[in-house]
Amino acid sequence: MGEPVAGKFLLEILTKGMYSNPMHVYREYIQNSTDSIDKAVAAGLISASEAAIHIQIDSSAQTIIIHDNGCGITAEKAREILLSIGDSEKNGVDERGFRGIGRLAGLAYADKVQFVTSAYGETVKTVMTCDCVKMQRLLQKSNTETSDVMETFKAISTFADPQPEEKDAHYFEVRMLGVPTDSGLLEENDVWSYLSETAPVDFNSQQFSQAQKIRDHFSGYGCPITCYKILRGARKLPIYKPYSRSLSTGKQAKTKSKDYVRDVEFVYAEASDGQPLYIGWLALTDFSGIISDEAVQGIRFRKGNILVGNNTTFVKYFPSEGHNANRMFAGEIHALHNDLVPNSQRDDFEPNAIYSEMREKLSKWAGEINKQYRRGMSEATSALRRLNQLNAEQQELEEKIDTGAITSDEKREQIADRLKQIAKKRETEERTVRKAQERGTFDADRVETVERVLSQTETAAKRITSLNKKIVNADYSTKHDLPSSYSRDERKLYQRIISVIDTFFTDDPQTAEKLREAIKSELSVKKK
């Protein structure tokens, strides 16, 4: 009986099967770069401020280069490390990558992938090239040239003769050559957007006023956010997280508006073993609607400041209406406990007792913020907005009455009924706003606005009685439209016609007025 074999098709699973979203290629290589940079900083090769990851995309040449100035790999160990699969020395605790397979990520999305590296103090660099076209050929079911995964990987990998390098150089570089144009990996704007959400980068303090407050709070708990300088393109522009001082809300263009991030709230918990479990921040806004910008929509999980999952991963933590609830919030939960380990596809965490603790605590917190902010502040904000609209509508009605909006008995009844509806709805909205005001739901920036709207509401409510009298006593605006030569019955018929026009064109009063003027002009002289 033969020895067990890890078949060659495992290589396909470890490349395209593991990284079905091509963009994850960037995440895996950046993850390895950050670990290398951490080692270089710890060894004193570079300072934290000097550390950098540089990404260059050349869509015309179909190439991608990801370069870091980490510690690199020595020539002595390069062949062993680069040819190993699933054999990583990383501990998975203070290092982001640990399964030893992230290096394979690009093999499914290029004709060739090169790994170029040099370590400090050495005068040579190592260049390993993986022939991905050959890999696809070897992985065909009909091909029998190789049988197991290591044999196949070695068959597609070649090492160039040692090449000279500066003694002080230390780096690791991934070169993806012949990247398919339809993979999306060459679309720079999409790549930069993906990295701003996913990569371990910092906030842009000029765009996000709460940035320093978040940094200080996390540092105060002994959990500073580890950020890396990731530079894009030939100009080496830094990539930042996408958060800013405002969030776009609303689903449709005509209803879109902005909610401003007025403050942030923090959450922190320890596990049953006393270790820090997680720390996070939540943007406090008006919560007036669903955040339309998916780059910041939803509470996000991060481990080592790298995204885990996406903007929907937190949905299951809300007790009800999770999808809609999560889309109204923006913030981050940074997993801290050593046992909170991202799974192989990094779309969630590995299930274990500590993960269950996190789920229990965060589910309780999600229920609290949903009640306090989404349902509390959102309802109060909506009530305030509707109250303002009702006051404005009453003012508009009064102006219409003064300028001859009552053209018939039917029109008089319509206006009176609408005024009654406004008064009734206003009482309901006013109660909601005043209760929210008593609870302190509205922040300091909106106190003045709330008081102004409530004052206008009191004034509008006091005018209801006098406005009703005005409606009752108002003459038809059509009363003097026709010459005196018309009989009473003819005048009544005219008023009925105008009433029908007003009713038919309720949503288009300008057209109704034009028709009235046209009829009035035609009847200005009674024909015999």
Side-chain angles (χ1 to χ4, degrees), residues 153-164:
F153 188 50
K154 288 179 180 179
I156 67 169
S157 302
T158 58
F159 285 85
D161 292 333
Q163 299 178 28

Side-chain angles (χ1 to χ4, degrees), residues 400-401 403-408 411 475-482 494-495 497-502 505 508-524:
K400 285 182 177 181
I401 293 166
T403 54
I406 297 179
T407 56
S408 64
K411 193 66 175 178
D475 283 337
Y476 299 147
S477 61
T478 55
K479 185 175 182 179
H480 304 291
D481 278 359
L482 302 181
Y494 167 71
Q495 289 169 357
I497 292 171
I498 298 302
S499 177
V500 170
I501 291 173
D502 286 339
F505 291 100
D508 190 4
Q510 292 183 342
T511 298
E513 182 62 23
K514 287 179 181 178
L515 281 172
R516 175 187 167 189
E517 290 300 318
I519 295 171
K520 177 181 173 181
S521 176
E522 177 67 21
L523 300 178
S524 60

Side-chain angles (χ1 to χ4, degrees), residues 54-57 188 192 230-238:
H54 184 206
I55 301 174
Q56 298 180 78
I57 299 173
E188 291 192 50
W192 308 146
I230 300 181
L231 308 174
R232 58 184 176 89
R235 297 174 62 190
K236 296 186 177 181
L237 299 174

Side-chain angles (χ1 to χ4, degrees), residues 283-301:
L284 298 183
T285 70
D286 291 341
F287 298 100
S288 62
I290 288 171
I291 298 171
S292 54
D293 183 358
E294 292 188 3
V296 295
Q297 179 193 90
I299 298 171
R300 315 288 182 103
F301 280 107

